[in-house]
Amino acid sequence: MRLVLCISFDNFIACMFDSPVFRSVIFDLRMASGIDSTTLGLMAKISNRSRELGHAVPLVILNSAGILRLLTSMGFDDIFELVAEDPLPGGLIPEKTPVHNQPVPAL
């Protein structure tokens, strides 16, 4: 991510949390094949800010065992609710199932 994009994204994050209709954050990583360090840092920043403001812990939906290993090795299971999901037709987010007690299938 270039510096200009980082500044724009930081502005977006600030506006998102300042919005009177803001309720929670959901990261849908079901189609992700990997996550870089910049994205991990921005995700952590969003989670920390959300919790500082008293909002719900952000939700991360994933279906990749590799991404789950990465997130848990980085301690993200302490600052996010990680859930494993199978995508449903229609693009609706289904009822969540915690990943801590269930294996995540590899893609």
Side-chain angles (χ1 to χ4, degrees):
M1 205 180 262
R2 294 190 176 162
L3 179 60
V4 174
L5 292 176
C6 289
I7 293 170
S8 296
F9 197 69
D10 281 344
N11 290 338
F12 168 78
I13 293 169
C15 289
M16 177 180 73
F17 285 116
D18 288 343
S19 171
V21 295
F22 175 81
R23 297 292 174 261
S24 64
V25 175
I26 298 173
F27 293 95
D28 186 347
L29 302 181
R30 290 179 288 188
M31 296 189 67
S33 58
I35 304 174
D36 66 10
S37 60
T38 301
T39 302
L40 290 170
L42 289 170
M43 288 175 67
K45 181 178 185 170
I46 289 170
S47 178
N48 290 337
R49 185 71 177 138
S50 182
R51 292 178 305 123
E52 286 171 3
L53 294 173
H55 296 293
V57 174
L59 178 68
V60 177
I61 303 168
L62 61 135
N63 58 5
S64 165
I67 291 176
L68 175 60
R69 274 191 304 276
L70 173 65
L71 295 178
T72 56
S73 72
M74 299 293 294
F76 275 39
D77 51 336
D78 293 333
I79 62 171
F80 291 96
E81 185 173 350
L82 305 178
V83 296
E85 293 298 330
D86 293 326
L88 288 182
L92 299 175
I93 297 174
E95 187 175 324
K96 58 189 177 182
T97 306
V99 286
H100 296 288
N101 298 325
Q102 296 183 13
V104 176
L107 295 178

